[in-house]
Amino acid sequence: MSTHALNIKRLHKRFGDTVALDGIDLALRRGQVLALLGPSGCGKTTLLRCIAGLAEVDGGEVHLDGQCVAAPGRHLSPDDRHLGMVFQDYALWPHMSVYQNVAFPLEMQGVKANARRPQVEWALSLVGLGDFAERSPGALSGGQQQRVALARAIVAKPRLLLMDEPLSNLDKGLRENLALEIRNLIEELNLTAVFVTHDQHEAFALADRVAVLQHGRLQQVDAPEALFHTPATPEIADFVDAGTLLDGRLDAEGLALADVYLPLGAACGHRGEVSLLLPRRALRLCAPEEGLLCGRITGRLFQGEHLSLQLTLADGRTLKLHAPHAPERGCQVGIDIDVSALRAWDAEARLIDLMPRADVAASASA
Ligand SMILES: Nc1ncnc2c1ncn2[C@@H]1O[C@H](COP(=O)(O)OP(=O)(O)OP(=O)(O)O)[C@@H](O)[C@H]1O
């Protein structure tokens, strides 16, 4: 048996002149949760629909548990793919009770009424709605309706759970709770799942792996931590809000950034314009006369565990960082930089190895 629950090879999908998917290669092991993340129009929903069988593919293949379910000239219907689906708008049948909604996939599979009952009760109790079976969906809150949709998606023990923006219709507190519940449920049932989102927090909270799509192409597929700490391109860094992106200039010995010059190891090699990522963890507040950079606090948000700060440099560019304490808005502060945590790309978005000089790295992290 294939070790991959899902295997996508060179997938192409067009709508007229629009190339929605442009050669997608993606594999997912059983028990893993994958988030498809990217800006509006990048092809996330189209990819999910090709996996589900709701759209036909123009090129490439989709395999589920080693079985080819989609290729040019081959298209297994959604019902024959044994998937569970959860949609953004819940998509419950309003004229049916919660029980009937959840029982529906079993009914479609021809499971007899008395055999359906224990499975429906099992699925409803898993999502905490054991006492709501006779209600109509219209008499439930948004979060409860999405739990019913989840129960309906898992009741027939699908080989793959697909979710399209499952949390985006819910308010923030509910979103976080339901994300945790879905994650627990997926682990408890050892499900394999793919979900679409445009929200990196949702992707990071739920997924083992995150696939970033742009213009129908996969840009990076990685664990959430790796994506956040080592984004492959400046666009991905920007999209996952990994820190501040600034332009700089490298020469043989260092990096010119804003109005300062950071000496680097001689081995740096590259010269010319670079895009620089300054992760929040690379920046530390200090006294104005002690910092490598100097700036003014122009944004200061209390966020419980830390303050989220925006600093404006003399040339008007801004930096984002977190700090446990900070002076008030308008105050001048110094900013120490841990050069070893910076990430830089050349004009062709190729990653450059910055070699911090030992003395600079030491002073920045002291
Ligand atoms: N039925 C369709 N007919 C024509 N073009 C389509 C159709 N469905 C999608 N597209 C186009 O394909 C591209 C990818 O769309 P898709 O809906 O997959 O993006 P998305 O990343 O899910 O976007 P969003 O986050 O806004 O839902 C877009 O350019 C879109 O306009």
Side-chain angles (χ1 to χ4, degrees):
M1 205 174 178
S2 167
T3 54
H4 288 126
L6 172 68
N7 202 348
I8 296 175
K9 299 175 186 171
R10 303 175 304 280
L11 194 67
H12 284 265
K13 176 72 185 170
R14 274 186 311 277
F15 296 102
D17 291 338
T18 305
V19 178
L21 298 175
D22 190 8
I24 303 286
D25 285 297
L26 195 59
L28 189 61
R29 285 204 308 275
R30 233 180 306 285
Q32 282 193 322
V33 180
L34 176 82
L36 300 175
L37 178 70
S40 182
C42 70
K44 307 179 293 289
T45 301
T46 303
L47 181 53
L48 198 77
R49 288 172 60 82
C50 288
I51 300 169
L54 298 168
E56 294 195 11
V57 308
D58 293 318
E61 297 170 5
V62 178
H63 293 253
L64 295 176
D65 287 328
Q67 179 194 18
C68 179
V69 297
R74 177 169 175 77
H75 181 80
L76 236 67
S77 75
D79 287 345
D80 291 332
R81 296 190 189 195
H82 306 296
L83 308 166
M85 290 212 61
V86 176
F87 299 95
Q88 179 177 358
D89 59 358
Y90 325 133
L92 300 174
W93 292 286
H95 58 287
M96 291 186 189
S97 68
V98 165
Y99 182 93
Q100 288 166 329
N101 264 280
V102 177
F104 191 74
L106 300 173
E107 212 177 317
M108 287 294 98
Q109 286 181 6
V111 179
K112 296 230 160 43
N114 53 356
R116 292 201 287 265
R117 181 158 290 278
Q119 272 180 263
V120 174
E121 285 172 354
W122 165 81
L124 281 175
S125 71
L126 271 179
V127 299
L129 290 178
D131 296 334
F132 291 72
E134 298 317 318
R135 290 249 191 125
S136 89
L140 298 177
S141 69
Q144 289 167 333
Q145 290 187 53
Q146 198 54 308
R147 285 196 182 87
V148 176
L150 199 58
R152 184 179 59 184
I154 59 168
V155 71
K157 308 207 169 86
R159 57 181 174 183
L160 189 63
L161 177 64
L162 302 178
M163 299 182 282
D164 192 356
E165 304 258 8
L167 306 175
S168 61
N169 273 355
L170 307 173
D171 61 40
K172 190 168 178 289
L174 206 53
R175 245 187 351 244
E176 282 175 12
N177 286 341
L178 197 56
L180 275 175
E181 284 179 38
I182 293 177
R183 182 69 236 195
N184 290 343
L185 192 70
I186 285 172
E187 275 174 28
E188 206 175 313
L189 301 180
N190 193 28
L191 288 171
T192 309
V194 179
F195 73 102
V196 160
T197 181
H198 61 270
D199 176 349
Q200 87 269 18
H201 299 296
E202 199 170 304
F204 292 168
L206 265 174
D208 299 304
R209 298 181 70 70
V210 180
V212 181
L213 268 166
Q214 268 170 342
H215 311 301
R217 293 194 182 163
L218 277 183
Q219 304 294 324
Q220 187 171 1
V221 184
D222 243 323
E225 294 83 359
L227 193 70
F228 187 73
H229 292 307
T230 53
T233 65
E235 288 75 25
I236 296 173
D238 185 34
F239 192 71
V240 300
D241 193 22
T244 304
L245 282 161
L246 292 181
D247 295 332
R249 188 168 176 79
L250 270 178
D251 64 25
E253 281 149 26
L255 171 72
L257 176 69
D259 54 358
V260 296
Y261 190 78
L262 306 179
L264 293 169
C268 175
H270 184 87
R271 293 168 195 212
E273 301 297 324
V274 292
S275 284
L276 202 69
L277 171 67
L278 296 92
R280 290 173 180 81
R281 69 181 186 286
L283 305 178
R284 198 166 56 84
L285 287 190
C286 57
E289 62 282 6
E290 288 171 10
L292 284 166
L293 292 173
C294 205
R296 202 161 46 82
I297 296 183
T298 48
R300 190 180 187 280
L301 290 179
F302 175 65
Q303 293 191 321
E305 298 290 325
H306 58 251
L307 292 162
S308 180
L309 301 175
Q310 176 182 281
L311 306 182
T312 301
L313 307 178
D315 65 4
R317 295 194 282 181
T318 57
L319 300 177
K320 295 181 276 193
L321 72 141
H322 290 162
H325 316 283
E328 291 308 313
R329 267 173 85 102
C331 290
Q332 281 296 124
V333 288
I335 305 145
D336 212 357
I337 302 177
D338 175 0
V339 178
S340 67
L342 302 185
R343 223 165 148 73
W345 295 269
D346 68 11
E348 277 81 47
R350 282 186 302 245
L351 204 58
I352 299 166
D353 218 2
L354 292 181
M355 305 283 286
R357 236 174 54 188
D359 53 334
V360 176
S363 88
S365 56

